[in-house]
Amino acid sequence: MSAATPDATAPPRSVRVVFLAVAIAFGLLYAYDLFEAVANTFGVVAQLGGYNELAAEVGLDEATVPWGILIANIALAPLLYTGAFLIGRRHSVPTAALVFLGGLAAVGALSLSLVAFA
C-alpha cells in the first residue's frame, strides 16, 4: 500500500467529523460534572472549616476533610470520559453516543454516591 492510497479500514472523513461533534458535545456535559466536583470540594472544605472553628470554641472534636473521596470525585469525570472516548472511537457514531451516555450516567451515579459518603 502506498502513502497516497487511503487506508481501507479508516472511517470516512464525515463519520470522523460527526464522531468528534458528538465527543465534544458529551465532553461539555462531562465538564459540567467536573465543575460540580470542584465546586463541591471547595464547599465541603469551607463548610468543615466553619464547623471546626465552632467546634473548637465549644470543645467538640474537629472533623477531618475527606480528601480521598473529594479527589476521587474530581478524577471521576475525566477518567470515564477518556474511557468512553477510547471505547467509542472504534464504533459507529450511534454506538459511540450510547457509550458516552452510559459513561455520563455512571459519572452521575458515582458522583452522588461519593457525595453521600463525604
Side-chain angles (χ1 to χ4, degrees):
M1 184 182 333
S2 69
T5 59
D7 186 11
T9 61
R13 180 172 165 74
S14 62
V15 173
R16 287 185 297 201
V17 170
V18 173
F19 171 75
L20 285 177
V22 168
I24 290 170
F26 276 101
L28 293 173
L29 296 172
Y30 280 84
Y32 180 75
D33 279 328
L34 176 62
F35 174 77
E36 285 181 331
V38 171
N40 186 37
T41 299
F42 284 112
V44 167
V45 170
Q47 185 178 10
L48 286 177
Y51 171 80
N52 286 338
E53 288 177 11
L54 292 175
E57 290 177 10
V58 180
L60 296 174
D61 293 335
E62 292 185 359
T64 60
V65 178
W67 287 111
I69 293 173
L70 295 173
I71 291 171
N73 196 19
I74 290 173
L76 188 63
L79 288 175
L80 286 179
Y81 178 79
T82 302
F85 185 86
L86 292 175
I87 292 170
R89 70 183 173 155
R90 297 291 179 201
H91 295 284
S92 65
V93 174
T95 304
L98 287 176
V99 170
F100 280 118
L101 186 62
L104 189 62
V107 167
L110 292 171
S111 292
L112 286 175
S113 298
L114 290 174
V115 167
F117 286 133

